[in-house]
Amino acid sequence: MLAEKRILLIIGGGIAAYKALDLIRRLRERGARVVPVLTKAGEEFVTPLTVSALAGEKVYRDLFDLTDEAEMGHIQLSRAADLVVVAPATANLMAKMAGGHADDLASTLLMATDKRVLIAPAMNVRMWEHPATRRNLATLAGDGVLVVGPEAGAMACGEFGPGRMSEVPQIIAAIEAALGAGPLAGRHVLVTSGPTHEPIDPVRYIANRSSGAQGTALAAALRDLGARVTFVTGPATVPPPGGVRVVRVETADEMLEAVKAALPAEAAVFAAAVADWKVENASGQKIKKTAEQAVPTLAFGENPDILASVSKMEAGRPRLVVGFAAETEAVEANATAKRARKGCDWIVANDVSPGTGIMGGSENAVTLITAEGAEAWPRLSKDETARRLAARIAAALG
Ligand code: CTP
């Protein structure tokens, strides 16, 4: 809940400004007080009257509005809030923030505030992917600015890709997390992610096609619900999320050590695609082609089963242990058997047959196996799958 929380909401000039209107309503429903600031460009998309009527507050628009300066100076306005939210955050607003400009009320408030700032970017996909925006985003992340979204999807301009502002429930979840008010506030959750690399020699290794996308999305979704997340990741292709503790490992053995070191946790989710085998006769030196023996023989040994060993811990077992199952046939039957064999509470099963495009792709179609049975979820983006799973985990932890 956001009762008693005061949010300074800066509405930038983008078509997504219409979502800011619903955001105001939903925040007020949760008991928050929303003090709105509308940029000049924002006024082209939503009217000051609508914003102020929905917020039940005066809408602040101009830096040189003397009445306001008498009522409340811009410094005070920026600091009286518990959180500053920028939605939509346009490419231009992000550039101003990154550059430290203060040439209108919104940018001045952002410079003057001593509170955390959360931005919900919204722009055309080319603008989002432009190197200047990438640079600005990195600068803002370095300054401690929190970011929610953007999402990939069809855009108002007719193009498709990342740049669409997050939906209101996601922005609210990010606001709650920023204010430490989410359902998982203060809870420690462990997530493993990515592939492992099992060395053959110092330059070669055995790996798998896992990108780490699902584990990364899950860690972000748990963080957004307020959890303190430890993210143990193999060498994934997608970058780890911000705002979580990242522990990088390479091999299954290292992953097990990192997991043990990170416990205790209230819940542990094992999304990593851990190699089942390691090369037992891995060479300390690069294996050379020789005339006598051109083709080396690798001897495989079994890797520790991290999920099973945590599930079967006698003391200090997380209250909820969730495994993943990558299957290519009889998904439900295999995953149900795997849940029993590994001793975990839930299994999130997915079909990784090449035709599905799931492994390494951006979507997932999972079946959740619990003690109560199997639940087939629709095909969803990995982000949405992660949010639903995070919400279930929050509900299960109570
Ligand atoms: N897992 C693990 N440690 C391992 C292997 C797997 O922690 N050494 C975890 C994965 O993170 C995942 C679950 O176990 O949560 C299932 O992994 P999967 O590879 O699908 O199952 P396997 O145990 O390899 O079973 P099989 O080879 O029969 O599919």
Side-chain angles (χ1 to χ4, degrees), residues 232-296:
V232 178
T233 177
T237 45
V238 301
V244 306
R245 187 168 82 87
V246 181
V247 183
R248 290 174 203 273
V249 298
E250 280 219 357
T251 66
D253 283 321
E254 289 169 10
M255 189 173 273
L256 176 63
E257 285 315 305
V259 164
K260 282 197 214 149
L263 291 175
E266 293 207 36
V269 187
F270 295 88
V274 185
D276 288 321
W277 305 287
K278 62 183 151 202
V279 179
E280 242 168 12
N281 59 343
S283 167
Q285 303 297 327
K286 186 181 170 209
I287 302 171
K288 307 290 279 182
K289 275 186 302 221
T290 60
E292 307 83 64
Q293 197 213 344
V295 183

Side-chain angles (χ1 to χ4, degrees), residues 315-384:
R317 181 191 190 275
R319 273 207 285 146
L320 182 69
V321 178
V322 183
F324 274 65
E327 306 290 348
T328 55
E329 55 184 352
V331 176
E332 191 180 315
N334 281 339
T336 303
K338 198 170 279 181
R339 174 179 172 275
R341 199 168 61 241
K342 303 231 182 193
C344 55
D345 302 299
W346 298 352
I347 282 271
V348 183
N350 50 22
D351 184 346
V352 291
S353 313
T356 63
I358 283 174
M359 200 126 185
S362 63
E363 291 185 334
N364 213 346
V366 307
T367 302
L368 179 65
I369 317 271
T370 68
E372 279 73 51
E375 242 179 72
W377 289 9
R379 192 173 173 118
L380 300 164
S381 70
K382 287 186 174 171
D383 286 340
E384 184 56 29

Side-chain angles (χ1 to χ4, degrees), residues 119-139:
I119 64 171
M123 65 197 73
N124 167 274
V125 54
R126 295 271 165 275
M127 294 171 80
W128 174 250
E129 285 169 353
H130 194 282
T133 306
R134 307 274 93 203
R135 276 197 305 276
N136 293 334
L137 187 67
T139 303

Side-chain angles (χ1 to χ4, degrees), residues 11-18 21 38-47 90:
I11 303 173
I15 187 70
Y18 78 92
L21 302 178
L38 195 53
T39 67
K40 271 266 166 305
E43 281 182 35
E44 301 291 331
F45 292 89
V46 290
T47 73
T90 59

Side-chain angles (χ1 to χ4, degrees), residues 10-67:
I10 296 176
I11 303 173
I15 187 70
Y18 78 92
K19 291 188 194 170
L21 302 178
D22 192 37
L23 179 63
I24 294 173
R25 297 189 54 196
R26 304 295 158 222
L27 286 169
R28 292 193 67 202
E29 268 171 19
R30 285 166 173 75
R33 180 171 169 202
V34 182
V35 178
V37 176
L38 195 53
T39 67
K40 271 266 166 305
E43 281 182 35
E44 301 291 331
F45 292 89
V46 290
T47 73
L49 188 60
T50 317
V51 172
S52 127
L54 287 173
E57 298 274 345
K58 174 184 171 66
V59 52
Y60 293 85
R61 296 154 66 191
D62 197 344
L63 185 56
F64 299 104
D65 186 333
L66 288 178
T67 331

